[in-house]
Structure formats: C-alpha cells, structure tokens
Amino acid sequence: MRGYLEFLRVPFAARLLGGTLLGRLPNGMAMLAVVLHVRASGGGYPLAGALGAVLGLATAVGQPVLGRAMDRFGQAPVLLPAAFASAAGFALLAAFGADPLPVTVLAVVLGGFATPPLEAGLRALWPSVLDGPEQVHAAYALDAAAQEILFTVGPLLVVAAAAINTPTALLLTGALGIAGTLVVVTSGPSRRWRGEPRAGDWAGPLRSSGLRVLLAALAMAGIALGVYAVAVVAYAERLDSGIASGVLLAAMSAGALVGGLVYGARDWPGELHVRLPWLLALLAAGYAPLTWAPGLPVMTVLAFVSGVFLAPTLACSFSLVDRLAPTGTVTEAFAWIVAAIGAGSALGSFVSGYGEHLGGVPGAFAGAGLGGLLALIVCLLGHRTLRPRPVRADAPICGAPVP
C-alpha cells in the first residue's frame, strides 16, 4: 500500500481524486433515484426500466460529446455548465414525477446527457500531475478502486434521502454533482490543462480498431450493471425491505473496492491485452449465481463476490486506452469508455425491467451473467486488435498542461 500513500502525497492528487469522486456520486445515485421516484409516482417496472435506459443512453451520448469539447476547449468551460444543466434535469424530474411523460423524458435526458465527464477528465489530468508512467498506472488502479466508494455510498445516500421523499434524492443527486465539479475546476491542473493537437477527422479515437473492440466488450459488461441496478429494487420489493436495494448495491461495490485495491497494490505478470480476457471471464462467473436470489444474508455475499473483478477489469482497460487512443483524443477516448458502459447499462436496465415482468426476481437478474459472457466473447474475437501500439520513451502519455 506504500505506492498509494506516495501517490496521495503528490500535490493536487488527493484533491483531484476526492473532488472527482464527490462529483461522480450522482453516477452511483441517479439510476436508483430515478427508478425509486418513478415507482413512488405510480409508474410500473417497465416504465421505470425504460426511463433508466433513457438515462443511461443520454449519459452515453453526452460523455464523448463533452469529452471532445474538453479536448478542444479545456476542462472548466465544459464541466461547470454541464454540472448545472444536469442538476436542472434532476430538479425538473423531482417536480413532475412520472407524469406528464414528455416532461419526465426531457428531464431524464437532460440529467443524463449533461452529466459532467469528470471521470474522463481526471484520467486525462493524471499525466500532467504525476511523475512517470508508473505513477499513472498506479493512479488508474486506485481510481478504479476508489470509484467503487461512490457506488457504495451513492445508493445508501439515495435510500436515506428517499426516506424523506424521492424528490429529495433527485435534488441531492444534482447538488453533489455541482459541488464535486467546483472542487475540480478550481484546481490549478484543471484550469491549465489542454489536449494535444489532433488530426481533424470526425472519428477521433474511434479510428483505433483496438479501442472499438474494447468499447464493445465494456458495453456488454455494462449490461450486467444495468440489470443489477433494476433487479435489486425488484428483489427489495419482494422482501418488502426498504433498505435491501441499497445494501446489495453497496455490497457489490464493496467487493469491487476490495478487488481494485488488491489489484493495484502489486504488479501483475503478462501484457494487458492478455490479462483482460481472464478478468472478464472471472467477472462473468461472479454474476451467474445472482439468478438464485436467495435470502438477504446469502444474497449480500453473492453481491460482494460479483463485484470483486469489476475494478480490476476497469483498471486494466484504462491502461489499455492510453496505448490505443490516437494522439490528442485521450479525454474523448476515456469518455467513450464511460459511454460504452453507460449504453450497456441502459440496455441492461431495459432488459431487467421486462425480465422482472416476465420472470420475477430471477428473470430480473438473468441478464447479468449473460452480459458478462458476451463481454468475454467480444474480447476474445477482437483480441489481436488490443495489442497496444509502442509508446516512445520521450512521448507524453496523454494530455499536457499549458505552461
């Protein structure tokens, strides 16, 4: 753990990581807050799942759009307006609930599309803050592990706020996004950062075949996350428990936190593109037993196990992005990673809502293992494209600060 302590002593490292985690708490809150609010407003599971899908798809579309803008214009001019716009969307949803439906859809789209790409921005900042690729690699591992805190704390905050009422949970979601964004954009590294010059083609990072394969695999893995977010609500209602959904979401995230910390605490043998399929296989295996849906104590253990290989998979993927993304597209490339997972999560949310309608709680959970398996298949089929291009010893890893 000494490497983590050394990393946190680097100037601005703790502030950037902490501020980004605070600003990304809505990522761990929004889906559950929307589902609970729609259910409290009289909407059924198909509607709740569909709106969860709209939220995820809107976020998936918005992240690369905002990421490309950050590569071009810098971070503060993009992040801060986005945070306020996203909060406005959640406030609109809090005011109207599930009816009238056009207003509800508009609110969900705004809340998702304008989600500030803090996650992509942080990973673009690390090379300008840290010393050398070794520290950057350690930062990715800690980032992937620490972000699970937001998926542990976020659902618990939603459950606590929803005990007052579900509009409070939505308003809190937007407010935390603004607070965290302010911490990041007022820091020196964020104010100074600019992307490297890039080729003027429309495809940006998507012209890398390896990155396209990585995005497809992570989108499939995202299906499992979307399935899980809706299925735990169905499971909690079956138990008539007000806290079960938050407990299970927190348990999965706690497993990911532990797995990420262990993964980042040591160097692992083998190349990244060889390691990733093994991690995806273990991730898929962890999701399969969830369809059993036993009592809460055993289900909590299964939830914890299902998350253990999530953060290691993400950390490995982040390191690959640095090598696969074309020059000058790093923020957009990381935003595409967020978008791919979000798009998969949106599909999983939709599938899980109808799965519950057709097959009860086991039907709601059924798509999680399938999503993990599809991620592995995609990775294996495109495995050769994931071999990273060589990095010049004198080349920056990604974005550079402006003097």
Side-chain angles (χ1 to χ4, degrees), residues 66-293:
L66 296 173
R68 179 171 291 198
M70 284 169 60
D71 276 327
R72 183 171 181 180
F73 300 112
Q75 296 201 349
V78 175
L79 288 173
L80 200 54
F84 278 99
S86 181
F90 290 124
L92 184 63
L93 180 61
F96 284 91
D99 187 54
L101 187 58
V103 176
T104 300
V105 173
L106 174 64
V108 170
V109 169
L110 179 60
F113 182 88
T115 299
L118 291 164
E119 189 172 349
L122 177 68
R123 290 167 197 149
L125 277 176
W126 283 140
S128 67
V129 174
L130 305 175
D131 296 324
E134 293 81 7
Q135 278 198 344
V136 173
H137 176 72
Y140 288 155
L142 183 59
D143 178 14
Q147 73 174 320
E148 299 309 321
I149 296 174
L150 63 92
F151 289 108
T152 302
V153 176
L156 297 178
L157 287 174
V158 170
V159 171
I164 303 172
N165 53 52
T166 53
T168 299
L170 288 166
L171 294 175
L172 180 62
T173 299
L176 290 174
I178 293 173
T181 300
L182 284 170
V183 172
V184 172
V185 300
T186 54
S187 70
S190 179
R191 293 197 310 270
R192 293 190 297 267
W193 187 90
R194 297 294 184 276
E196 295 179 76
R198 57 178 284 170
D201 62 287
W202 68 269
L206 296 183
R207 66 179 183 266
S208 165
S209 58
L211 188 61
R212 293 196 300 270
V213 169
L214 183 62
L215 291 171
L218 291 178
M220 296 300 102
I223 290 176
L225 299 178
V227 165
Y228 193 86
V230 174
V232 294
V233 177
Y235 178 86
E237 288 197 0
R238 188 182 76 175
L239 294 182
D240 194 23
S241 169
I243 64 169
S245 58
V247 168
L248 292 180
L249 286 167
M252 186 188 72
S253 298
L257 174 61
V258 171
L261 289 174
V262 172
Y263 177 81
R266 55 161 291 183
D267 293 327
W268 297 89
E271 295 290 336
L272 294 169
H273 65 285
V274 176
R275 190 183 310 157
L276 184 61
W278 288 101
L279 292 171
L280 286 171
L282 292 167
L283 184 66
Y287 286 128
L290 296 174
T291 54
W292 178 28

